[in-house]
Amino acid sequence: MRNKLLSVLAIVLMFFSCKKDGGKARIIVNVKSSSAKSNVYISILSDQTRIYPGKDTLSAISNAGGQLSFSVIPGKTYYLYHYTGDGQVIDPTIGSFIKVGVFTSQQEINNWPVQTPPATVGGDHYQDVNMDGAINKDDRVLAVTAPAAGKTLSVDFPLITR
């Protein structure tokens, strides 16, 4: 009888913990910049292989305090990106490129946007985030993993003037 009761309790606990995970999480972005922190346009990209503007991208503009907020799926990795029309880029000590594969031939390199540093066979294949035909400092992102359901993650997003 006791084992049966423990089994039922375990199933009930699993049910409620799974149900709780179905909620949303929140990522708060704190823009850190030597110039203006308000009205900074930040996108959050949800999939490293399909990040072109559209259904996989959410965007927001920072408030007067340099903050913006995104409601996200718990535990998922997201990529924060700054549109560089204002002359600022993400700090290269923090930002990175989105790796989408490895170059397997010179022909593949020739058919991909130019990368800085130059691509090599066997080298990393990066995403052209801003779709300008070149992979450079303007394509850096900040990778973050969303917290658990109902939780909030606060992330500093450092920008420098290029």
Side-chain angles (χ1 to χ4, degrees), residues 10-30:
I11 291 170
V12 169
L13 285 173
M14 285 183 354
F15 172 77
F16 281 110
S17 65
C18 290
K19 199 156 176 71
K20 188 171 115 181
D21 288 344
K24 291 287 187 175
R26 183 161 298 285
I27 295 175
I28 303 289
V29 179
N30 304 298

Side-chain angles (χ1 to χ4, degrees), residues 41-59:
Y41 180 82
I42 304 286
S43 294
I44 188 165
L45 313 169
S46 64
D47 186 333
Q48 70 178 15
T49 59
R50 296 178 309 131
I51 59 170
Y52 299 107
K55 68 177 182 169
D56 298 323
T57 305
L58 298 171
S59 299

Side-chain angles (χ1 to χ4, degrees), residues 141-153:
V141 297
L142 178 62
V144 295
T145 301
K151 301 290 183 184
T152 299
L153 172 67

Side-chain angles (χ1 to χ4, degrees), residues 50-94:
R50 296 178 309 131
I51 59 170
Y52 299 107
K55 68 177 182 169
D56 298 323
T57 305
L58 298 171
S59 299
I61 297 175
S62 61
N63 63 21
Q67 279 193 341
L68 52 137
S69 175
F70 295 101
S71 180
V72 294
I73 298 169
K76 185 171 179 164
T77 299
Y78 290 90
Y79 305 89
L80 297 170
Y81 172 71
H82 171 59
Y83 173 71
T84 59
D86 62 1
Q88 296 184 96
V89 295
I90 188 167
D91 185 335
T93 62
I94 303 298

Side-chain angles (χ1 to χ4, degrees), residues 31-42 61-62 81-90 138 157 159-162:
V31 175
K32 303 292 182 186
S33 172
S34 58
S35 59
K37 293 192 313 187
S38 62
N39 298 319
V40 175
Y41 180 82
I42 304 286
I61 297 175
S62 61
Y81 172 71
H82 171 59
Y83 173 71
T84 59
D86 62 1
Q88 296 184 96
V89 295
I90 188 167
D138 296 336
F157 193 80
L159 295 173
I160 60 172
T161 303
R162 41 178 172 151

Side-chain angles (χ1 to χ4, degrees), residues 46 52 63 98-99 101-102 110 131 158:
S46 64
Y52 299 107
N63 63 21
I98 299 175
K99 181 180 172 183
V102 174
N110 295 344
M131 300 180 292

